[in-house]
Amino acid sequence: MSWGTELWDQYENLSLHTQKGIEFLERYGHFIRDRCAIEVEYAAKLRRLVKSYQPKKKEEEDYQYSPCRAFKMELNEVNDQAGQREVIAENLQANVLRELNILVKDFKEDRKKHLQEGARLMANLTGQIGNLERARKAYEKAFREAERAVENYQRADADLNLSRAEVEKQRMNMTLKTQQSEEAKTEYANQLQKTNDMQTLHYHTAMPEVFQHLQELDEKRIKNMRNYMLKSVEIERAVAPIIAQCLDGIEKAANEINEKKDTLLVIERYKSGFQPPGDFPFEDLSVAKTYDSNSQLSQPVMQPIHNHHLTAKGTVSGSKIKKRVGLFGIFSSNKKLIENNVPGYGDGAKEDCSDLPPNQRKKRLQQRLDEIQAKIQQETAARDGLMKMKGVYEQNPALGDPMSIEGQLNQSSNKLDKLGAELAKFQGYFEEAMRAGVSLSSPSQAPRKPTSNGSATRPLSSRRSSHSGGEESLSRSASDSSVSNANANQPIHKKSAPGTPQPTHGSTNSPESGLGESRTSLPGSGGEEYYVDEIDAQPPLGTCRALYPFDATSEGSIPMYDGEELYMIELDQGDGWTRVRRISQPIEGFVPTSYIECHLYNT
């Protein structure tokens, strides 16, 4: 089917149809353009949405829970989806919209050219028909005049009254008019033939060709419309697998949410490691009457009841509790000096994290150890790179001076030494925290019953006198119960510890004999450990290493674990006890001499 044969007389309608078709294609281009703008805007809004819901730095610790991690993964997948929407917009603009705009412009130009050609052909045919009409009218006029001239000649020839000259005149007029009629007839015949030929060419060749071009133009428009729609589908289908992967990632993240694991994480994060408080004791006021030094009766006073339900620092409500003071806060004389010299004292956190609950302390120290080990690996890699560079310089001095690397190598070695020392220090802190955690959960660390005078602890006697300058040894003591408890708490697979020395209650060296002015033991320590003033601390005579673990259960003694390194402050005075001080903390006490291996400093 062809427009030239079927629609030979529908020039105006075809012109209007092609115009509407091109306008429709242009409208589809506007649709693609607006869709690209929407896709870009949608992607931008998705990115802004993801950015606004990204976890803040202060919220990173909360994102260890599975719902938070899943939500973060969903944000990442949505951000990837936004990128795919941008890809769709870019491909539509590059592969559809740009080509479509060029095609619409070409269609408009081709249509205009074809319509102009059709208008020219129609104008030529119309002009030829006009010439034919004029030739026909001229022939008709000449034929009428020729007929009248013939009638006038016949009438004059029949009239005997007219002269011969008048008859000759009518004959010549007749001949002229007849000749003019023949010429008009010939011209009319020529114009008629020419018009018929042109009309045949116009309707069978010229205009069908124009209509054929218009038909091809319209079919090309329709075919490209189909192609552009299919290409739009292909562009979106190309990113569909990636979007499907994003949705699969969201589904996978949702399936990874585990309420049981989150419950364990909450326990691990907020568990303090302390034991629940015991029962409140009953205080009988009728028995609590005492007399003071002036022999005046004192009124019985009930001790205030402390709330043990407060949560320690590092737990959920830890931020509501006033920050507790450092371990040295019990000494008021040199408190300011300690605040200036002890790391982490006061408002800042302590270096050994001893102000945290046991579980939180172990966790924080483990993080610190991981950080130090990462720094050591990084610094080791940097040093190895410098060594390789030095080797290259030594093999090829033209590349550089090997001595220029020495300074960097020395600096790297110093950093590694400092990091190693810091690692060893924090490993000691971590081991101490592990031991503290075990001791808290051990039944041997249960609160000690009060002694005969109602006190669970006794202060140490003063080591030195500011006036006499002489030093008295710390009182020493040991009980059979402490020895039996210490041996009973040892694991079965360990080799048995040697016997503990017997107490000498009458001796001046007995831990329970001298109770003069002394450092005060920490509240709740049960008299097992004693803190010493850093200013008055006696310099160590050497170091010692614990051969067996020892649980202190008597006044003046301190516990130690197998392999622990301690400072030796005072040698054994013959009673089987040696005075030691912890390396990591200013805590002094007595341990059995047979439980340690001593190493004196060379003086």
Side-chain angles (χ1 to χ4, degrees), residues 443-568:
S444 65
Q445 299 298 325
R448 195 175 299 137
K449 293 184 179 180
T451 57
S452 59
N453 61 354
S455 173
T457 61
R458 295 185 182 181
L460 283 174
S461 61
S462 176
R463 280 293 301 168
R464 61 179 69 179
S465 172
S466 59
H467 300 286
S468 64
E471 295 186 357
E472 300 175 1
S473 64
L474 277 175
S475 60
R476 304 159 182 254
S477 162
S479 64
D480 295 334
S481 61
S482 67
V483 177
S484 60
N485 289 338
N487 294 331
N489 289 330
Q490 303 307 316
I492 298 175
H493 63 277
K494 295 278 187 179
K495 59 182 179 179
S496 60
T500 312
Q502 299 296 323
T504 55
H505 297 284
S507 172
T508 58
N509 293 331
S510 174
E512 298 177 357
S513 60
L515 299 176
E517 295 179 358
S518 65
R519 307 288 182 263
T520 307
S521 62
L522 285 178
S525 64
E528 296 174 4
E529 300 174 350
Y530 295 86
Y531 285 77
V532 297
D533 196 327
E534 285 189 348
I535 297 177
D536 298 334
Q538 183 178 353
L541 302 177
T543 61
C544 61
R545 184 175 64 86
L547 300 176
Y548 313 96
F550 173 68
D551 287 343
T553 55
S554 63
E555 294 356 337
S557 60
I558 62 172
M560 62 181 178
Y561 61 92
D562 188 8
E564 182 179 6
E565 295 288 339
L566 302 166
Y567 286 132
M568 188 167 55

Side-chain angles (χ1 to χ4, degrees), residues 4-183:
T5 57
E6 303 295 333
L7 304 175
W8 61 271
D9 57 344
Q10 300 296 322
Y11 175 83
E12 296 296 335
N13 289 332
L14 291 179
S15 175
L16 182 62
H17 173 76
T18 52
Q19 176 66 25
K20 288 182 179 179
I22 294 176
E23 289 176 354
F24 181 77
L25 182 62
E26 190 173 13
R27 185 182 179 188
Y28 180 74
H30 294 165
F31 164 76
I32 296 296
R33 179 197 62 193
D34 295 341
R35 183 188 173 185
C36 291
I38 291 174
E39 294 284 358
V40 172
E41 183 181 3
Y42 176 56
K45 288 185 177 181
L46 281 181
R47 291 190 184 279
R48 285 197 298 269
L49 177 67
V50 171
K51 184 177 179 181
S52 63
Y53 280 92
Q54 283 291 345
K56 306 298 186 294
K57 189 173 182 180
K58 60 181 180 181
E59 301 174 351
E60 289 180 353
E61 191 173 359
D62 294 333
Y63 273 74
Q64 60 181 320
Y65 304 116
S66 58
C68 299
R69 292 199 307 270
F71 177 62
K72 189 174 182 179
M73 293 177 63
E74 181 176 4
L75 291 178
N76 295 334
E77 300 296 344
V78 171
N79 189 64
D80 293 342
Q81 289 184 29
Q84 298 308 311
R85 308 317 300 186
E86 291 175 345
V87 171
I88 291 176
E90 292 174 359
N91 291 336
L92 285 176
Q93 289 178 347
N95 301 328
V96 176
L97 186 59
R98 186 177 293 112
E99 294 181 5
L100 193 147
N101 290 333
I102 295 175
L103 193 64
V104 168
K105 183 179 179 181
D106 294 341
F107 280 170
K108 287 182 177 180
E109 293 178 355
D110 293 344
R111 174 181 174 276
K112 181 179 179 181
K113 182 179 66 174
H114 296 322
L115 291 179
Q116 287 177 350
E117 178 66 18
R120 185 184 65 80
L121 293 174
M122 292 180 66
N124 292 338
L125 180 60
T126 303
Q128 182 59 39
I129 292 175
N131 294 333
L132 175 63
E133 184 64 22
R134 286 191 294 272
R136 187 188 65 79
K137 289 181 178 180
Y139 168 65
E140 184 179 3
K141 181 181 179 182
F143 181 76
R144 296 283 186 268
E145 290 178 353
E147 284 184 345
R148 284 196 299 271
V150 170
E151 289 178 359
N152 291 334
Y153 171 71
Q154 291 176 356
R155 192 181 300 115
D157 187 45
D159 190 0
L160 299 176
N161 297 324
L162 293 178
S163 63
R164 192 173 184 81
E166 288 294 332
V167 174
E168 187 64 23
K169 180 179 179 181
Q170 292 297 328
R171 188 185 65 79
M172 291 179 63
N173 185 36
M174 180 192 68
T175 304
L176 178 62
K177 294 298 181 181
T178 301
Q179 185 177 358
Q180 289 178 349
S181 176
E182 291 295 329
E183 290 177 357

Side-chain angles (χ1 to χ4, degrees), residues 390-391 412 420 432 531 561:
K390 181 180 178 182
S412 179
E432 181 183 352
Y531 285 77
Y561 61 92

Side-chain angles (χ1 to χ4, degrees), residues 233-337:
V233 173
E234 292 176 0
I235 289 173
E236 191 158 4
R237 186 171 291 165
V239 302
I242 304 178
I243 296 178
Q245 290 179 4
C246 296
L247 297 178
D248 293 341
I250 296 175
E251 182 180 5
K252 180 180 178 182
N255 291 330
E256 289 178 356
I257 296 178
N258 191 318
E259 64 277 7
K260 299 300 182 182
K261 289 184 179 179
D262 286 353
T263 301
L264 297 178
L265 286 176
V266 173
I267 294 174
E268 180 182 356
R269 179 178 179 183
Y270 295 115
K271 182 180 179 181
S272 65
F274 293 119
Q275 297 295 328
D279 296 338
F280 292 106
F282 178 78
E283 299 182 20
D284 191 353
L285 298 181
S286 62
V287 187
K289 294 182 179 181
T290 57
Y291 288 89
D292 58 7
S293 60
N294 296 327
S295 298
Q296 295 179 353
L297 182 63
S298 300
Q299 294 296 329
V301 179
M302 296 189 70
Q303 297 296 327
I305 297 177
H306 298 283
N307 183 13
H308 296 287
H309 298 287
L310 295 177
T311 317
K313 179 181 178 182
T315 56
V316 175
S317 58
S319 59
K320 301 179 181 179
I321 304 176
K322 187 174 181 181
K323 199 165 193 176
R324 63 180 182 180
V325 298
L327 294 177
F328 299 106
I330 59 176
F331 305 116
S332 59
S333 60
N334 59 345
K335 181 178 180 181
K336 186 173 182 181
L337 179 62

